[in-house]
Amino acid sequence: MSNLRIDPGSFSGFAPSRETRTVRGVARRTDKGTLLLRRWAGCWIDFIALFLIVMAFGGLAQLHEWFVLVGFIPLLGYFPVCEWLWGKTLGKLVTGLVVVNDKGRPPGIGQAIVRTLFRLIEVNPFFFGGIPAGIMVAVTEHRQRLGDLVSGTYVILAEDVKYLSPDTTIAEVFD
């Protein structure tokens, strides 16, 4: 059992095994409570950021009506663009989370759009308040909500990206 060597720098107190060096392995070993709490907090940080963006453009709309149209661009593109480019939104950055594909890289734009479309139902604060997403994360093996399952993405702790094998990821993307 060589994979049970004590390694104080690893995420569980043990050196990662070959299986935990994959995205699925890291996701499976992530504590559900920690992940749920961080995802929930990150979600609300993102909602507050989006609210402030909408309010800023809403105030500007009194000056000129085209500000209303311009205000929808960041609202519609916030999640897919941030997750596609960096693997994280402001909320994920603050809570230490990152969205990755099965290779450990930021999701493609298509994957990010699918995640966002499912987010409209699963994580909508006015429609079940994110309970469907929380239930899915709690009961799925790799801690995924429905949008993650359909898009082939995973949300993991950013600090755990370094444990992925080099052929799985380019960890410097997240540094």
Side-chain angles (χ1 to χ4, degrees):
M1 298 189 113
S2 63
N3 65 343
L4 295 180
R5 293 176 284 114
I6 297 293
D7 179 4
S10 73
F11 60 96
S12 64
F14 297 102
S17 67
R18 178 181 306 248
E19 191 270 339
T20 58
R21 292 179 190 268
T22 66
V23 173
R24 297 178 114 204
V26 167
R28 185 180 302 117
R29 295 221 22 213
T30 303
D31 178 69
K32 285 181 189 179
T34 299
L35 190 62
L36 277 169
L37 183 62
R38 287 188 187 199
R39 285 183 82 150
W40 178 81
C43 177
W44 281 101
I45 291 168
D46 287 331
F47 286 152
I48 291 168
L50 286 170
F51 175 77
L52 293 174
I53 290 169
V54 168
M55 294 307 294
F57 279 100
L60 293 173
Q62 294 177 8
L63 301 174
H64 200 281
E65 60 274 356
W66 68 269
F67 279 111
V68 174
L69 179 61
V70 173
F72 279 109
I73 294 170
L75 185 64
L76 295 174
Y78 175 74
F79 288 104
V81 171
C82 289
E83 291 177 352
W84 169 53
L85 291 175
W86 303 291
K88 55 184 99 175
T89 59
L90 177 62
K92 287 180 185 66
L93 176 68
V94 170
T95 58
L97 298 174
V98 65
V99 180
V100 296
N101 62 20
D102 60 350
K103 303 282 189 236
R105 294 181 178 91
I109 188 67
Q111 289 174 302
I113 289 171
V114 169
R115 280 179 49 80
T116 298
L117 291 174
F118 277 87
R119 180 181 284 115
L120 295 173
I121 297 168
E122 288 183 283
V123 191
N124 188 325
F126 306 109
F127 186 63
F128 300 121
I131 293 171
I135 291 170
M136 287 298 293
V137 169
V139 301
T140 56
E141 181 180 11
H142 300 109
R143 322 295 190 244
Q144 296 168 288
R145 64 179 177 82
L146 188 57
D148 293 318
L149 290 168
V150 173
S151 67
T153 58
Y154 304 83
V155 176
I156 62 173
L157 304 179
E159 65 199 46
D160 289 346
V161 170
K162 65 185 172 194
Y163 297 112
L164 298 173
S165 65
D167 59 333
T168 302
T169 185
I170 21 180
E172 60 270 10
V173 169
F174 302 107
D175 289 336

